Amino acid sequence: CTTACFGLLREIELAHLRCEDAILDAVAITATLRLSVSKTDPQALGCERTWGCVCARCGDRIPCPYHAVKAAYEFCVDKYAMSDGTLPAGLPLFPDRFGNICSKTGVVRALEAHLKAVGLEDVTEALESLFGGHAFRVSGARMLAALGIDLTIIMMLARWESMVVLRYVKEAPLQALTDKFCQLQSQKGLPSEVDRLQDMVKQLADQVA
């Protein structure tokens, strides 16, 4: 869930990620994923997206995209590594219980099981599913927009070429409106504050003289 939300991945893209598509840098503490640029061909790996570790600056308040990929990779090493320590070619980063590529339905069912495990509803009163294959993509986009991340950056991360992002994020950017306003106001008042301090310094210098 963490990897898919931070990467704004479709369920089929998550399923087709291979271990060799994950590049972990223990020095820079970053995780890079080779991703598809075409929703019609999830295996047409054509771009890379990188997230760093957020633990140092965010603590344990939110999941970490770096450690999520690292944990998934280490799970595969523990379970599927061959006698020489290498992984089988093409091994999915998030395999099904048989070590194969998970189906689209399987990814959604795994999400539903996760939601139930943490006590969240996954169906409506009419027993219709609340979440589908784009749940990670939608949730991730809204999370970033609510934090005030620029929509153009979200579009680049999600590999959107149109303003379809607005349909996904809806009112989420407005959640950061107050914080953004206060930040801009403080920046706007900074020059006048500097001028005031400079006048005080000049007055003190005159008094000392």
Side-chain angles (χ1 to χ4, degrees), residues 6-204:
F6 274 91
L8 304 187
L9 302 179
R10 305 174 182 90
E11 85 282 32
I12 194 170
E13 292 172 329
L14 182 70
H16 280 86
L17 276 177
R18 303 167 302 182
C19 287
E20 56 256 43
D21 298 329
I23 306 167
L24 293 165
D25 188 329
V27 177
I29 319 183
T30 59
T32 299
L33 296 177
R34 298 192 185 99
L35 300 173
S36 167
V37 293
S38 171
K39 65 181 178 182
T40 58
D41 185 4
Q43 299 183 71
L45 305 175
C47 67
E48 296 181 348
R49 293 293 182 266
T50 300
W51 273 99
C53 175
V54 302
C55 297
R57 284 165 284 186
C58 299
D60 58 0
R61 291 182 294 110
I62 60 172
C64 175
Y66 166 76
H67 283 99
V69 175
K70 183 173 181 287
Y73 189 88
E74 289 175 346
F75 169 83
C76 289
V77 170
D78 291 341
K79 190 172 179 66
Y80 299 105
M82 297 183 289
S83 57
D84 60 357
T86 61
L87 291 172
L91 178 70
L93 184 62
F94 299 98
D96 65 10
R97 64 173 180 258
F98 302 111
N100 301 319
I101 293 175
C102 193
S103 66
K104 292 175 62 174
T105 303
V107 174
V108 175
R109 285 178 178 170
L111 170 61
E112 291 171 346
H114 177 74
L115 293 170
K116 289 180 180 178
V118 296
L120 296 176
E121 294 292 333
D122 63 324
V123 294
T124 65
E125 293 183 358
L127 299 182
E128 296 175 343
S129 179
L130 285 170
F131 301 93
H134 279 222
F136 308 110
R137 204 160 165 82
V138 175
S139 299
R142 289 179 180 173
M143 172 188 70
L144 297 175
L147 290 171
I149 303 297
D150 192 278
L151 291 184
T152 55
I153 295 178
I154 298 176
M155 288 175 63
M156 290 175 62
L157 180 63
R159 291 148 289 139
W160 280 313
E161 294 182 357
S162 67
M163 291 306 291
V164 66
V165 63
L166 296 177
R167 189 180 72 203
Y168 279 77
V169 301
K170 296 184 178 179
E171 293 87 9
L174 298 179
Q175 295 180 30
L177 180 61
T178 301
D179 289 340
K180 192 68 175 178
F181 174 82
C182 294
Q183 179 186 352
L184 293 173
Q185 274 297 115
S186 64
Q187 292 175 352
K188 181 180 178 181
L190 187 60
S192 60
E193 181 65 15
V194 171
D195 290 340
R196 188 179 70 83
L197 291 173
Q198 287 178 338
D199 289 340
M200 291 176 61
V201 170
K202 184 177 182 302
Q203 291 175 16
L204 288 173

